[in-house]
Amino acid sequence: MLLELAQWLARDFRGFNVFNYITLRAVLATMTALTISFVFGPMVIRWLAAKKIGQSVRTDGPQTHLVKAGTPTMGGALILLSLGVSTLLWADLSNRFVWIILIVTFGYGAVGWVDDWRKVVYRNPDGLSARAKFFWQSVVGLVAAIYIAFSISAPNNEKVVELFISWVGSGFTMELPTKTDLIVPFFKSVSYPLGIFGFIILTYLVIVGSSNAVNLTDGLDGLAIMPTVLVGAALGIFAYVAGNAVYSKYLLLPYIPGAGELTVFCGAMAGAGLGFLWFNAYPAEVFMGDVGALALGAALGAVAVVVRQEIVLFIMGGVFVAETLSVMLQVSWFKYTKRRYGEGRRILRMAPLHHHFEQTGWKETQVVVRFWIITILLVLFGLSTLKIR
């Protein structure tokens, strides 16, 4: 929106051409989202409190968390407000990648909103049923996966449609260009062709998986939001490289025309996340809720797919991966031992993983900060794949 204004003004005042630089607009998007969060944060928290939209705390969780009952939740709405407004202000709105990422983000945010609303307003402890939640996550994820599969290979939406029709007309046998291959980091020329179906399935799994992984991690004050900010900012760097013909060629990464504009989106996400952290830091004034966690996780997954860095996302989001695996292993082992021995047994003292460390004696703030430090190390390791090949 403001880019179009700047381009119009640049006809008479050449100084406005500076806004054509993606890096500047990414910085401005970060600052704008941060400012929006600071300005509207207190109002959103007061509104949530007035509506009695308070967090319910699991009785089988750490007893220290019982004091958090009633803390306003669904604060992810503040993140989406800041992220959405900032992106619309500073991004190139003619860019198709910006729109598909926004659709994924707000689509998953809508699923999380309905789930949270039913839990805290209608006092339905189940919220959306697991089946309904997974269904709507799958709908948005599959639509995005199909679109991204062809948009990476086509320069505009008309070509996307043509490519899709050609694929259907070929009996679903047409292959995609090599830029859609699965890239293995740390190797110059190691990649694996996925085929269109393989690409769609992988993209679907990455988006849905990352969405639920962030949601599982969101269990302590500030635990999920800071890793999201760090990983999102790093993906913004990858997006800038992928969208630049010179840098992508030099660093041996696939050139994805238009992907660079996602740097602005990632900057807005980082700013919105930091603004939310101001109110979510221990002791939290507001919780993110599913509306924020599902949306941010899906956004990370979708951006990673567009810039062809699915494996790097797995590395940088190691905390999210560990939290998810801890739940999967705990549940699987409990069910297996109950069937085998008649009594369910546990691998961890409590799942997800952050609760296990709390049960071992770590304070909540220790768990959070140490997980942040681990994420910083993993993000730096992921960024090293830009050059170490």
Side-chain angles (χ1 to χ4, degrees):
M1 189 179 298
L2 292 180
L3 174 61
E4 294 180 359
L5 176 62
Q7 289 173 338
W8 179 74
L9 292 173
R11 298 173 185 174
D12 299 313
F13 305 97
R14 294 181 61 185
F16 283 96
N17 282 322
V18 71
F19 290 100
N20 287 319
Y21 290 98
I22 291 175
T23 48
L24 174 62
R25 287 187 285 114
V27 171
L28 293 174
T30 304
M31 297 171 62
T32 301
L34 191 60
T35 302
I36 293 173
S37 296
F38 285 159
V39 172
F40 290 97
M43 289 184 281
V44 170
I45 294 173
R46 285 196 298 269
W47 183 81
L48 293 172
K51 295 294 183 180
K52 301 187 184 302
I53 303 178
Q55 178 71 31
S56 58
V57 178
R58 51 187 282 194
T59 56
D60 61 338
Q63 296 302 300
T64 55
H65 288 202
L66 295 178
V67 297
K68 299 183 180 185
T71 302
T73 187
M74 296 180 69
L78 173 63
I79 301 175
L80 295 183
L81 171 67
S82 305
L83 169 59
V85 171
S86 184
T87 301
L88 292 176
L89 284 176
W90 294 111
D92 180 1
L93 300 185
S94 65
N95 185 286
R96 62 191 190 282
F97 291 124
V98 169
W99 284 108
I100 190 60
I101 300 301
L102 284 175
I103 289 171
V104 169
T105 303
F106 282 86
Y108 274 75
V111 175
W113 175 277
V114 173
D115 187 39
D116 284 337
W117 191 264
R118 289 187 178 184
K119 287 178 181 177
V120 298
V121 175
Y122 294 121
R123 306 302 176 185
N124 180 354
D126 296 327
L128 267 179
S129 67
R131 181 176 297 180
K133 184 188 294 187
F134 181 70
F135 171 78
W136 289 112
Q137 285 180 315
S138 297
V139 169
V140 178
L142 282 173
V143 169
I146 294 171
Y147 179 79
I148 293 173
F150 296 100
S151 63
I152 287 177
S153 307
N156 53 57
N157 285 331
E158 291 182 3
K159 295 296 183 181
V160 168
V161 175
E162 291 179 10
L163 200 59
F164 178 78
I165 293 174
S166 298
W167 176 57
V168 175
S170 69
F172 306 103
T173 59
M174 186 181 73
E175 295 297 327
L176 292 173
T178 56
K179 66 172 65 178
T180 60
D181 292 353
L182 178 63
I183 297 174
V184 179
F186 299 112
F187 295 94
K188 288 184 179 181
S189 57
V190 177
S191 61
Y192 294 97
L194 299 169
I196 295 180
F197 281 114
F199 185 96
I200 292 173
I201 292 172
L202 176 64
T203 300
Y204 165 79
L205 292 175
V206 169
I207 294 175
V208 175
S210 58
S211 175
N212 288 297
V214 173
N215 195 32
L216 287 172
T217 306
D218 184 33
L220 301 179
D221 297 353
L223 177 58
I225 191 61
M226 191 59 182
T228 299
V229 168
L230 293 168
V231 175
L235 285 175
I237 296 175
F238 281 100
Y240 184 75
V241 172
N244 187 292
V246 176
Y247 292 155
S248 59
K249 182 179 180 180
Y250 173 69
L251 295 172
L252 303 176
L253 293 176
Y255 171 52
I256 313 293
E261 201 64 31
L262 293 181
T263 308
V264 179
F265 174 86
C266 290
M269 180 163 56
L274 288 174
F276 177 76
L277 180 60
W278 182 272
F279 305 102
N280 186 236
Y282 182 87
E285 300 176 54
V286 64
F287 296 139
M288 188 187 305
D290 285 7
V291 60
L294 292 179
L296 291 176
L300 292 178
V303 172
V305 170
V306 171
V307 301
R308 312 306 308 122
Q309 297 299 327
E310 298 92 342
I311 296 179
V312 172
L313 173 64
F314 185 86
I315 295 172
M316 296 192 300
V319 166
F320 302 138
V321 175
E323 294 273 29
T324 304
L325 290 177
S326 70
V327 174
M328 293 173 64
L329 291 173
Q330 184 87 324
V331 172
S332 299
W333 183 250
F334 185 86
K335 290 182 177 179
Y336 170 75
T337 53
K338 186 173 183 179
R339 185 173 62 252
R340 180 73 181 271
Y341 305 107
E343 179 184 8
R345 301 176 184 177
R346 293 174 172 83
I347 299 174
L348 303 172
R349 295 190 179 186
M350 187 177 292
L353 188 61
H354 54 263
H355 287 326
H356 168 78
F357 285 111
E358 281 191 290
Q359 295 299 315
T360 63
W362 290 15
K363 294 181 180 179
E364 179 174 349
T365 50
Q366 287 179 307
V367 177
V368 171
V369 173
R370 287 170 180 174
F371 277 35
W372 287 359
I373 294 172
I374 292 171
T375 300
I376 292 172
L377 293 174
L378 292 174
V379 166
L380 292 175
F381 185 61
L383 287 173
S384 70
T385 65
L386 281 168
K387 190 62 180 175
I388 301 177
R389 289 180 178 274

